[in-house]
Each structure stands twice: as structure tokens, then as C-alpha cells.
């Protein structure tokens, strides 16, 4: 590795990548600047490429303590040249955040579609699945091999999120079993409000960066 060379990546997990980089690069670890573009699609392979994929999208740089500020800025500038907006997190922060808002949703989508597909009347169920099912399960069309690796690479953080979701799901099950309409409505209303606030924030950011 040339002394002035900078190595970076575009992976969905950071803890395992940083550990591998430390093992491979040793004293040259300062030359590795980890990054993650938040611009995934369910399609994969060269035929799914988009020239403007990163325009207006976030890229999280998870700089290491050993990184020189100039090298971090070089990587940031490369992503900005693709139209991306730079954000910064530590590797552990990154993996905890994306276990919640990316990795868990993929696990849920894969699990739901697999569960329905295994039912004896799956053909009938899929025949009547409409836009809500399509929207929720879109990401289940993603690469199984890639998501197998992401799931295991971020195992600890993802297990924390799966356990928390199981608690929430059990709570909702009890509300349904008890015919507790007010409690269900409260959960649904809280989720709707949070979803609307998130969507508004995303739209505002896109207008700002557009």
C-alpha cells in the first residue's frame, strides 16, 4: 500500500469491516477511512446500476481515531462529487443505528414473505396481496447472499433490535387478544405521527439539497 494511498469502503456494517482492516493493514490502519452510502435498492447487479444513485443521498463516514483529517476530507469530497450529503458517526454508533432502521426491517420483510410462501394456500394469499403488502415487503426482493452477510456481521446490534421488536409485538398481541381498541389506536396513532414527521423531514432535506 503506497504511503499516500487512501482505502475506503461502502459496506452496510462497520464494526466487522474496521476489525478486518485493522488485521490486514496493521500500522497502516490510518489510511483506511470507512464509509457507507445510504442509497440501497432491492435490485442488484450491474444491470441495476443508476448514474444518479447517490445524488441527494446520505453517506455516513465513520472515521477512525487514527485517520488524518485531510484523508477523511478526501473521501468526503469523492462522495460529494457523486452528489451525496456527508454525515458522520462512529463505527459502533453506525451499526446500532442501522440495525434499527435498515437491518431489522429487512429481517422482518424476509420473514413475512417466507412465512406466507410456506403456507399451503400461499398462491391464494399472494393473489390478493395488494399495495400495502408490496410496499412493506419490497426489500424482500434484495440479495439473499448480501443480507445473510449483513445480518451476521451486525449480529449483536441486530439481536438487540429483534428482542425489542418481539416485546413490542407481544404487547400488540395482548392488545388484540384483549380487544383493547384504545391501546391499539394509541400505538397506531403514535406510529402514524412519527412516520409523518419523518417523511416531512426527509422531504425538507431533499428540497434543501436539491
Amino acid at each position: 500500500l503506497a504511503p499516500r494511498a487512501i482505502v475506503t469502503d461502502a459496506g452496510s456494517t462497520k464494526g466487522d469491516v474496521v476489525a478486518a482492516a485493522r488485521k490486514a493493514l496493521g500500522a497502516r490502519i490510518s489510511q483506511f477511512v470507512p464509509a457507507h452510502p445510504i442509497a440501497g435498492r432491492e435490485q442488484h447487479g450491474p444491470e441495476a446500476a443508476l448514474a444518479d444513485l447517490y445524488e441527494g443521498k446520505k453517506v455516513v463516514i465513520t472515521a477512525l481515531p487514527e485517520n488524518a483529517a485531510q484523508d477523511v476530507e478526501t473521501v468526503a469530497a469523492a462522495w460529494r462529487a457523486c452528489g451525496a450529503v456527508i454525515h458522520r458517526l462512529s463505527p459502533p454508533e453506525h451499526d446500532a443505528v442501522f440495525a434499527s432502521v435498515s437491518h431489522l426491517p429487512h429481517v422482518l420483510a424476509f420473514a413475512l414473505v417466507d412465512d406466507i410462501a410456506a403456507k399451503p394456500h400461499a398462491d391464494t394469499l399472494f393473489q390478493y396481496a395488494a399495495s400495502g403488502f408490496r410496499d412493506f415487503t419490497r426489500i424482500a426482493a434484495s440479495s439473499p447472499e448480501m443480507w445473510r452477510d449483513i445480518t451476521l456481521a451486525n449480529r449483536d446490534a441486530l439481536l438487540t433490535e429483534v428482542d425489542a421488536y418481539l416485546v413490542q409485538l407481544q404487547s400488540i398481541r395482548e392488545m388484540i387478544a384483549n380487544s383493547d381498541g384504545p391501546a391499539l389506536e394509541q400505538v397506531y396513532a403514535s406510529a402514524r405521527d412519527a412516520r409523518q414527521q419523518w417523511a416531512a423531514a426527509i422531504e425538507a432535506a431533499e428540497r434543501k439539497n436539491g
Side-chain angles (χ1 to χ4, degrees):
L1 186 65
R4 298 296 301 276
I6 302 172
V7 180
T8 189
D9 78 308
S12 296
T13 58
K14 292 274 88 66
D16 62 316
V17 173
V18 171
R22 289 189 182 281
K23 182 177 180 180
L25 298 177
R28 295 281 182 91
I29 188 62
S30 64
Q31 293 174 244
F32 176 60
V33 181
H36 176 203
I38 316 304
R41 304 174 69 218
E42 69 274 18
Q43 291 88 7
H44 56 280
E47 66 277 2
L50 293 176
D52 60 351
L53 178 62
Y54 302 116
E55 290 185 8
K57 299 298 193 300
K58 298 180 180 70
V59 168
V60 180
I61 295 181
T62 61
L64 306 178
E66 297 90 343
N67 291 149
Q70 182 178 353
D71 290 348
V72 175
E73 176 53 32
T74 297
V75 172
W79 281 112
R80 282 195 291 266
C82 297
V85 180
I86 304 301
H87 290 249
R88 300 176 190 269
L89 293 170
S90 71
E93 289 172 335
H94 170 281
D95 287 355
V97 166
F98 286 93
S100 178
V101 299
S102 176
H103 306 166
L104 177 64
H106 277 81
V107 168
L108 300 181
F110 282 125
L112 176 61
V113 176
D114 184 64
D115 178 65
I116 292 177
K119 295 182 185 298
H121 57 311
D123 290 345
T124 300
L125 296 176
F126 283 124
Q127 178 182 353
Y128 293 102
S131 59
F133 181 84
R134 180 195 62 213
D135 293 344
F136 182 78
T137 63
R138 175 185 60 82
I139 51 180
S142 303
S143 165
E145 298 84 1
M146 181 181 74
W147 278 99
R148 171 201 64 202
D149 292 346
I150 291 172
T151 299
L152 296 178
N154 203 21
R155 182 187 62 184
D156 292 345
L158 183 53
L159 282 174
T160 297
E161 296 303 325
V162 169
D163 289 344
Y165 191 80
L166 287 172
V167 171
Q168 172 78 331
L169 202 59
Q170 181 61 36
S171 176
I172 291 176
R173 187 192 187 284
E174 292 175 2
M175 295 173 194
I176 296 171
N178 295 329
S179 297
D180 192 344
L184 284 169
E185 184 178 352
Q186 184 176 2
V187 171
Y188 295 168
S190 177
R192 178 204 59 196
D193 293 346
R195 176 63 166 75
Q196 289 176 342
Q197 291 174 12
W198 169 76
I202 290 294
E203 292 173 2
E206 289 177 348
R207 287 195 298 269
K208 178 180 177 181
N209 297 320

